[in-house]
Amino acid sequence: MERGLSGGTIAAATTWEGGSLAYLTIRPEAEGFELGVHAYGPDRERLAARLADRIRAWDDGGHRGTVEPVAHVYPAGTPDEQLAPGQVVDNRYSRLVISVP
C-alpha cells in the first residue's frame, strides 16, 4: 500500500472553511473499516469536531455499510434557511448540500 499524507488512509469527503480543511478517512481493519477525520489549518479543531459529529450521527442512524448520499444544488446566494439539511459546500455559482438520509 502506498502511504501519503494521511498515513495509508483514503480521503473520501472533504469540508473547508477559510484557511482550514477537514476530511473523512477510511482505514481498513480486520473486521471491516474505521472512519476518522484529519484536519489542518487554524480552525482545524472546530472543523474536525463538526465532521466527526456528522460521522457519528450517520453511524448511529444505522447507515454503516449503506452509503447513499443525496446532493441538492442551489443557486449561489440562497439563504441558509432555504437549504436542505446537510453539509454545505459554497462556490462561486452554487451552494451544494450533501446529506445521508
Side-chain angles (χ1 to χ4, degrees):
M1 176 189 299
E2 186 173 321
R3 295 187 182 266
L5 282 177
S6 57
T9 57
I10 301 167
T14 305
T15 186
W16 63 91
E17 192 171 287
S20 298
L21 168 84
Y23 61 92
L24 172 70
T25 61
I26 302 171
R27 181 172 57 192
E29 290 201 332
E31 297 179 15
F33 60 92
E34 177 184 55
L35 298 176
V37 175
H38 286 226
Y40 303 92
D43 205 16
R44 65 187 171 273
E45 291 179 19
R46 185 182 66 78
L47 217 54
R50 187 171 75 188
L51 188 54
D53 286 345
R54 291 188 175 145
I55 292 168
R56 282 195 272 306
W58 170 80
D59 192 38
D60 291 346
H63 294 99
R64 185 174 269 255
T66 59
V67 180
E68 296 183 21
V70 175
H72 299 274
V73 181
Y74 300 87
T78 301
D80 287 346
E81 60 272 4
Q82 293 179 12
L83 301 176
Q87 177 67 43
V88 179
V89 179
D90 288 310
N91 66 51
R92 186 170 163 185
Y93 301 106
S94 65
R95 301 190 80 189
L96 176 65
V97 180
I98 302 169
S99 63
V100 177

